[in-house]
Amino acid sequence: MSAIAAILLVLATAMLAAGLAYRLALWLAAPVPLSIPTMPAPLTRGGAAMRVGREMLLFHSLFRADKPLWAASMAFHLGLALVLLRHLRYVVAVPPAWLVAIQPVGRLAGWMMMAGLLFLLARRLLVPRVRMVTRTGDVAVLVLLLAIGTSGLVTTYLLHTDILAVKAFLTSIWRAAPEGLPPDPTFLLHLLLAILLLAIVPFSKLLHAPGLVFSPTRNQPDGSRRYRRPARWARTLAGGGQ
Amino acid sequence: MDAAYQVDGKTVAHDEEGYLTDIGQWNEAVAGIIAEAEGLPMTAERWEVVNFLREYYQEYQIAPAVRVLTKAIGKKLGPEKASNKYLYELFPYGPAKQACKIAGLPKPTGCV
Amino acid sequence: MSAFEPPPLADEVELAAPPALVPGAMAHSRPYVAAPAHNQALGFPGERVPDWERRAVEKLGELLERSRALRVFLDSCVKCGACADKCHFFIGTGDPNNMPVARQDLLRALYRRHFTVAGRMLGRHVGARDMDEALLQEWYTYFHQCTQCRRCSVFCPFGIDTAEISMAAREIMDAIGLGQKYSNEIIGKVHKIGNNLGLPEPALANTLEGLEEDVLEQSGAAVKFPLDVHGADVLLVTPSADFFAEPHVDGLIGYAKVFHQAGISWTLSSHASEAANFALFIGSYEQMHKIAQRIRQAAIDLGVKRIVFGECGHAWRVAYAFLNTLAGPWDFLDPAYPVPQHIVEVTHELIRRGGIVLDRDTNAGKTVTFHDSCNVARASRMGDAPGGQFVLPREVIKAAVPSFVDMHPDTTHDRTFCCGGGGGLLTDDLLELRIKGARPRMQALKEVVEQQGVTHMAAICAICKTQFAKVLPAYGFPMEMVVSLHQLVGQAIRLG
């Protein structure tokens, strides 16, 4: 049992890493032949990086677009980030003080994440224009996240699992014979679904996370009257100016 | 797709929008038929515009700018008629396009 | 006499309320297909190529390798719907395919099917579709219901720009022999004659002579409209509509008066007698490059020191953001000036340092508002600081008229609504769409007309001006309400 789980986990992590690396390679191989930031844009590279940062951390454009959606999205993403941070204690041998300190916050974040997800799912199913653009895959990702969250909360509050055993398992997966996976069904479900999530990131819309960093409308500075940027494929065109 | 006007038993081809495909096929009877299709009876004033467009086109291979047209019409019909507004009264869809169509000229293209 | 009568505007401005969904509401709206000759003039197949389905996929693959934006945008959408109610065409028509996300999905369907693992394995469950006649017809219909105004990209949390997607889709359609008549015919005219109108050099010269007579008669000043003058300081590149249409020509008179009064020597070029570059609309870098070369050639041939662009929205996008890459480097021009400059930058600077003096009283009785053109607002800049494209035009207008009022902030600056005629849609065969798409702007205009007594709306784009002249009457406003920004300047400037 432990061995199977370990293999799946390693496999999923490998898929995540390889899939992302492949996707990023495709993105980076393609040039941005023209200057296309959504204006007004910062004038410097540093300013553009700040803009991307503002989008990543504060969801600035989404805030301008739709306040309730922004709130739900923030609740989910921030909740998820805190929950993941909390999970560090299952792999760090001796948790530092801050990690111990955020454990209650992390538990709260679990509820915040679930509330955000439920709002997103309800919105997707109930708002006609959002429902119109929804495919099975869009609902499936939300359901998967909800299931991971639910099983996590159940193990946290109702059907406790042997955390020390989990920790022993996670720190031993690199050994030939991993050990100690607790046989609690809820926990196993949680682990399995999380593994599935890791594996599908590079093949699904979860690519939006790296996508934001590479989005030319957000990461390009406004400097087109100062800098030229002819792409390699464009330099072969006839005429002056190349 | 393309259709044709029927004029005195002859067919005169036009494009999707009613502009003649061959401006050489234009004559006054054709103008009357196109104007009829546009719902505009050919009055003396409309003829002034159409004739000026054709003269200008003969010389320059393009319809005149709206301002050139208003000035010319002002000279012919009186200064009170030298206005874009008056031309729109004559050709409600816009003098450049609708009058060109009746005059058998190509449609002015671009942001106009 | 419009083909379509829109329902009256609401009494209350309800900018926030998204419309009810009306599936298929605009399924009938398609522009005329280009004739074989129009396509061939641009090097595209005249008619649908035999294995067009395969060719479309292949072309998409080529575009993916040429543009990171396309790849990232096709991969990143989460269908959050933040863009859905931001598009003027969705607001004006209720057609769900006019939600930017749905429009993107028409191209994303083919991308997912052929270029992603999930799409190959899961098909329709992840929105993948094969190329077939039905999909192609949806492309032709709905990618010609996008003015590429970028309003959706302002609100997208990932900055996905539907303009890039619709440009790619149109490029694919051109590659399989399905071009749009309006854009392709016009681009052909630029290659052949030098401008969108097809205005030959003698006609241009005659028109400019007429304008000199008009201005002399009206103002007593011998303002020149020079054409092909070698050794002039400034090459003015302006949309050919400025030579032809109303109120565009009043803007051209305004530029001429500014140059005259400031003592700047300038010239127009009969070779580059067009600022517009419709190749942007069809997404063709090659065509855009070819058109841009005319400006480089004219600048070299005439030996000018500066290049200034007249009032044209998408042209200023191409000029500001692309021209340096497409036709630079501009090291043979005077390095003291940015290349290119916008006429509003020139006029603004002259007002600031007293090079020209404007008299507001000459525009007495006018209360003016300003329509931010989409391409100027969201794809370019003026002046030295970000957002100058919003500040400079307003400052120039305020210097020229006694009373200025802004429209609702949800409809100005980078949140401005497109006029409804941009992106190659300013054609009579799309009039119903254009009238419906203008609705959000008309609604905001109604508010300032009724509450603040606005009499005129200034614009700095040839497309906007023509579009408004056409759609204002449909919403009960006089056509003369739209004015060129430099028309106000030309009225107010003290000559002599």
Side-chain angles (χ1 to χ4, degrees), chain A residues 33-51:
Chain A
L34 290 167
S35 175
I36 59 166
T38 311
M39 301 290 223
L43 303 185
T44 61
R45 293 211 151 274
M50 293 276 286
R51 182 187 198 180

Side-chain angles (χ1 to χ4, degrees), chain A residues 25-240:
Chain A
L26 281 180
W27 288 353
L28 287 171
V32 189
L34 290 167
S35 175
I36 59 166
T38 311
M39 301 290 223
L43 303 185
T44 61
R45 293 211 151 274
M50 293 276 286
R51 182 187 198 180
V52 172
R54 203 163 61 233
E55 293 294 343
M56 284 177 71
L57 299 176
L58 303 176
F59 304 173
H60 178 73
S61 295
L62 187 60
F63 184 75
R64 295 180 77 193
D66 187 332
K67 304 283 188 284
L69 175 58
W70 176 86
S73 176
M74 200 42 124
F76 160 62
H77 284 92
L78 189 62
L80 178 63
L82 289 168
V83 165
L84 287 176
L85 212 58
R86 189 174 100 87
H87 277 62
L88 273 181
R89 75 170 174 148
Y90 304 130
V91 286
V92 177
V94 185
W98 66 266
L99 190 50
V100 178
I102 66 154
Q103 291 304 311
V105 182
R107 270 196 289 275
L108 207 65
W111 292 105
M112 191 163 90
M113 169 183 149
M114 292 298 285
L117 281 172
L118 283 171
F119 179 93
L120 292 177
L121 183 63
R123 181 176 172 280
R124 188 163 287 294
L125 298 178
L126 297 177
V127 177
R129 62 177 188 278
V130 185
R131 192 185 167 125
M132 198 90 193
V133 295
T134 296
R135 302 282 173 273
T136 323
D138 302 304
V139 177
V141 171
L142 281 176
V143 169
L144 176 61
L145 283 161
L146 277 166
I148 294 172
T150 308
S151 54
L153 285 175
V154 167
T155 46
T156 306
Y157 290 101
L158 292 175
L159 307 169
H160 296 288
T161 198
D162 181 350
I163 287 168
L164 287 175
V166 172
K167 193 162 174 170
F169 165 74
L170 285 174
T171 47
S172 72
I173 53 172
W174 299 107
R175 286 183 226 143
E179 60 191 46
L181 195 61
D184 307 329
T186 325
F187 165 73
L188 288 178
L189 182 70
H190 183 71
L191 181 66
L192 197 69
L193 294 177
I195 288 171
L196 181 63
L197 182 69
L198 283 183
I200 66 167
V201 165
F203 310 101
S204 68
K205 66 179 192 175
L206 301 173
L207 275 176
H208 68 275
L212 173 52
V213 180
F214 289 89
S215 179
T217 55
R218 294 291 184 264
N219 71 18
Q220 283 187 325
D222 161 15
S224 50
R225 282 197 284 196
R226 284 173 290 142
Y227 308 114
R228 304 187 63 236
R229 51 179 315 123
R232 202 175 305 140
W233 61 258
R235 288 190 198 137
T236 56
L237 296 177

Side-chain angles (χ1 to χ4, degrees), chain B:
Chain B
M1 177 82 207
D2 293 4
Y5 297 111
Q6 301 300 325
V7 187
D8 302 334
K10 277 192 278 186
T11 46
V12 180
H14 62 73
D15 69 6
E16 305 101 320
E17 296 169 85
Y19 293 82
L20 297 192
T21 27
D22 172 9
I23 63 171
Q25 288 195 299
W26 186 89
N27 59 40
E28 298 199 349
V30 172
I33 297 289
I34 303 174
E36 201 178 291
E38 295 285 307
L40 302 173
M42 282 309 284
T43 59
E45 290 82 2
R46 291 202 177 98
W47 272 118
E48 284 292 350
V49 174
V50 166
N51 288 334
F52 178 74
L53 289 182
R54 290 192 59 86
E55 283 165 31
Y56 192 94
Y57 188 89
Q58 288 273 304
E59 186 167 357
Y60 292 109
Q61 285 76 54
I62 183 99
V66 174
R67 181 170 291 245
V68 174
L69 178 59
T70 48
K71 232 171 22 176
I73 294 306
K75 276 182 195 152
K76 290 192 172 160
L77 300 179
E80 74 283 357
K81 303 210 163 143
S83 76
N84 203 14
K85 197 167 158 42
Y86 176 70
L87 288 175
Y88 266 91
E89 281 169 24
L90 287 183
F91 300 99
Y93 199 81
K97 287 181 178 169
Q98 208 165 19
C100 274
K101 192 188 283 187
I102 295 169
L105 307 182
K107 177 180 163 177
T109 52
C111 309
V112 296

